[in-house]
Amino acid sequence: MREQAGPGPVSSGAGTGAERRTTVPLYVRIRREFEARIRAGALPAGSRLPSEMDISTEYGVSRATAQRVLNDLAEAGLAIRRRRHGTFVADVTRQINLLNFVTPSAAAKGVPGRHEVVSARIVRAADAVLALPGAPADTAVVELVRRKLDVREEPQSVERHVVLFAAAPDLLNENLEALVTLPYLQRSGVPIDSIRLYLDPVALDEHDAALLHSETGTPALMRRRELRLADASTVEVVTTLVRPGTAEFFLELPVPAG
């Protein structure tokens, strides 16, 4: 049975004309309503969110859809789920599992918030903001710089992409605010063979500090990802620089059997 929104007013959020014409999954629309209420202060830190059953009843959706709404909010650090106690609005510090942080599929889940395009252009590899490993200096590349804002419109991270132009000549025609490059390249037929990920400790330079509303020289964590073809050449390099003080990184592992 096809789900329809119930009595609760569900907003798809602001965006470009192209975004408004795109069909947004129902769970995303419901999730965005909660994001907006958190941003407006109507749901302050510590307040209890509706249960899965409450959401299912109010919006006329399945229990699975309601569960996904709450799980997405929790994965984004906006909510804390306590078994047998309920789901509560979290404080501004996100809890990020490092295993999820380095898993490419996590980027496709649509973390709450929005992307703001800082710059987008086609340049020589030698002039790009990131070095594309193995690319000659005169090779054309697509360069995309975006800032991720959370639901409170505060900077969350800065993302820099450098993609081989020959692999994605039409990339700049896409909706750059919503673009996730790995599935885009896969849909375009680029034969990605492997993904290499790095975690680099860095100190913010003046430019990044301004973008992230932080102090120059503040230590930060940067994720660097390289998409590689079967011949080991790199088709894309992307970095994600997380705003200092907005996230705590952790690993949670099962206790080995004694």
Side-chain angles (χ1 to χ4, degrees):
M1 181 176 68
R2 185 176 180 180
E3 295 179 345
Q4 296 181 347
V10 182
S11 171
S12 60
T16 65
E19 289 175 312
R20 288 192 292 269
R21 289 191 298 270
T22 301
T23 301
V24 179
L26 182 56
Y27 81 92
V28 174
R29 290 190 283 144
I30 298 172
R31 188 195 71 196
R32 287 177 179 174
E33 179 180 318
F34 284 107
E35 294 169 22
R37 292 165 66 185
I38 293 171
R39 181 172 63 244
L43 291 170
S47 60
R48 184 191 294 271
L49 291 171
S51 67
E52 293 174 9
M53 184 63 72
D54 292 337
I55 293 174
S56 178
T57 300
E58 180 179 358
Y59 294 98
V61 299
S62 68
R63 187 74 174 267
T65 296
Q67 182 182 63
R68 185 166 187 180
V69 169
L70 294 176
N71 285 345
D72 276 10
L73 290 171
E75 288 181 11
L78 295 175
I80 299 173
R81 307 206 69 184
R82 301 295 187 197
R83 191 174 182 182
R84 294 189 295 273
H85 293 284
T87 304
F88 302 86
V89 177
D91 61 23
V92 295
T93 302
R94 293 177 297 150
Q95 300 286 315
I96 299 179
N97 189 326
L98 276 171
L99 294 178
N100 293 335
F101 187 61
V102 299
T103 302
S105 59
K109 292 185 177 180
V111 175
R114 68 180 181 89
H115 278 106
E116 174 185 79
V117 176
V118 177
S119 64
R121 59 179 187 160
I122 298 171
V123 297
R124 298 167 61 245
D127 300 324
V129 292
L130 302 173
L132 188 65
D138 288 333
T139 301
V141 298
V142 182
E143 176 191 285
L144 173 63
V145 180
R146 301 184 296 185
R147 182 169 65 165
K148 183 65 181 286
L149 303 174
D150 64 18
V151 297
R152 300 175 180 86
E153 292 292 291
E154 288 294 326
Q156 181 176 332
S157 61
V158 173
E159 300 174 4
R160 292 181 168 89
H161 301 255
V162 173
V163 185
L164 189 66
F165 177 78
D170 299 321
L171 188 146
L172 295 186
N173 294 329
E174 294 295 307
N175 177 2
L176 299 180
E177 290 83 3
L179 178 69
V180 182
T181 54
L182 174 56
Y184 168 78
L185 291 170
Q186 291 174 320
R187 290 194 304 269
S188 299
V190 179
I192 306 297
D193 182 72
S194 63
I195 303 171
R196 178 166 291 193
L197 293 154
Y198 302 84
L199 290 177
D200 301 320
V202 299
L204 297 183
D205 60 23
E206 185 176 356
H207 181 65
D208 284 333
L211 286 173
L212 293 173
H213 298 178
S214 300
E215 296 293 328
T216 302
T218 304
L221 184 65
M222 183 175 71
R223 177 185 60 191
R224 178 164 46 99
R225 184 189 74 190
E226 296 177 2
L227 300 183
R228 299 183 172 189
L229 305 180
D231 62 2
S233 62
T234 302
V235 71
E236 182 204 38
V237 60
V238 54
T239 61
T240 301
L241 182 61
V242 179
R243 181 187 179 190
T246 62
E248 293 180 346
F249 296 89
F250 70 92
L251 284 173
E252 188 168 22
L253 303 172
V255 177

